[in-house]
Amino acid sequence: MSDLLSDDEIDRQLPDSWARDGEEITRAFEFDSYLPGVGFASAVGGLAEEAWHHPEITITWGEVEVRLTTHDAGGVTEKDIELAERCNEIYE
């Protein structure tokens, strides 16, 4: 199991455009239409499967929300920060 990050560690390490929401970190990624968002969500799913760390992903027209937490640790860990950074990379 991964170790929980402290509030200060989360604040310092939180990737650009991500926010803290309780025991999760979250970001809404914006797209011009539906299908690019679906493609992005699929890419995130591939990253998540590779890392064996599965986020909650919500797809709507023009937006994909990704929520990360490490369930077995009960909050945010390095695994969440790393996957958030990788999400940002594929979005760019």
Side-chain angles (χ1 to χ4, degrees):
M1 176 171 32
S2 300
D3 292 331
L4 285 176
L5 296 176
S6 69
D7 290 339
D8 288 339
E9 289 172 320
I10 295 169
D11 290 343
R12 282 194 311 272
Q13 296 180 44
L14 198 64
D16 290 342
S17 302
W18 285 80
R20 177 107 183 254
D21 185 10
E23 299 305 318
E24 300 177 316
I25 58 174
T26 182
R27 179 174 175 187
F29 296 87
E30 296 183 5
F31 298 91
D32 292 332
S33 61
Y34 185 72
L35 285 180
V38 171
F40 173 78
S42 178
V44 170
L47 290 176
E49 186 66 18
E50 179 182 293
W52 195 248
H53 189 57
H54 303 98
E56 181 178 314
I57 302 171
T58 304
I59 305 169
T60 59
W61 194 95
E63 184 177 282
V64 175
E65 181 186 53
V66 179
R67 302 182 77 78
L68 296 167
T69 190
T70 303
H71 296 287
D72 61 352
V76 179
T77 68
E78 286 290 335
K79 290 172 70 172
D80 302 299
I81 299 297
E82 291 169 8
L83 189 52
E85 289 170 344
R86 294 196 65 198
C87 289
N88 282 0
E89 289 170 6
I90 62 170
Y91 182 69
E92 296 168 2

